[in-house]
Amino acid sequence: MVQSKVKTYVGFCIKSGKITLGSNAIATLKGGVRLLILDGKAKKNSLRYALKFKNKFSCPLIVYNGNFEEIVQKPLCRLVAIKDKSLADAILNSGDTDCELYIEGGE
C-alpha cells in the first residue's frame, strides 16, 4: 500500500520537531503556526478550538478524513499545528484526497 504524502510530511514534522500535538499544547504557542490539521472525526468542540487557533495564527485549516491517529502517531489527538512553512506548503499542495481545506461557514 502506498503511504499518503500527508503522512510522510507529518512524519518529517515530527522528526524535526516542527509540529505541536493537541489543543492544549497549541494554546500555549505565541506564533509561528503555518498550518492546522484537524481530524475529520473530531467533535464540534475540537472544531471550535481549531477555528479559534485558525484566527489567532491567521493560517489555513485542513480537515483530514483518513486515519488521523496513524499520521500523527498519537492516540486521541484531534488537532495538530505545523510550524514549518515549507512542509505546510507541501501538505497544502499534496493533492491528497483525504484532505480538504476548511472553508468557514461549512459546519
Side-chain angles (χ1 to χ4, degrees):
M1 186 171 151
V2 177
Q3 182 170 307
S4 81
K5 288 183 179 181
V6 171
K7 182 177 180 181
T8 302
Y9 294 137
V10 169
F12 291 154
C13 292
I14 292 169
K15 287 179 183 171
S16 66
K18 299 292 185 177
I19 192 169
T20 302
L21 304 170
S23 300
N24 292 336
I26 295 169
T28 65
L29 298 175
K30 302 293 184 206
V33 175
R34 305 296 183 190
L35 175 66
L36 294 164
I37 305 175
L38 177 68
D39 184 353
K41 299 176 196 106
K43 304 290 185 209
K44 283 189 176 186
N45 199 37
S46 294
L47 176 60
R48 187 172 51 86
Y49 277 115
L51 293 174
K52 175 182 151 186
F53 297 138
K54 178 183 183 300
N55 292 329
K56 176 181 177 180
F57 299 118
S58 299
C59 66
L61 170 64
I62 284 183
V63 178
Y64 187 79
N65 293 310
N67 188 343
F68 192 75
E69 289 180 1
E70 181 182 300
I71 70 161
V72 299
Q73 302 169 13
K74 183 176 179 186
L76 303 177
C77 181
R78 299 289 178 241
L79 182 65
V80 299
I82 306 296
K83 300 184 284 184
D84 183 271
K85 182 169 178 26
S86 61
L87 287 169
D89 290 341
I91 292 169
L92 283 168
N93 298 320
S94 71
D96 194 316
T97 56
D98 288 332
C99 290
E100 59 184 90
L101 189 62
Y102 182 83
I103 307 297
E104 299 228 25
E107 286 184 54

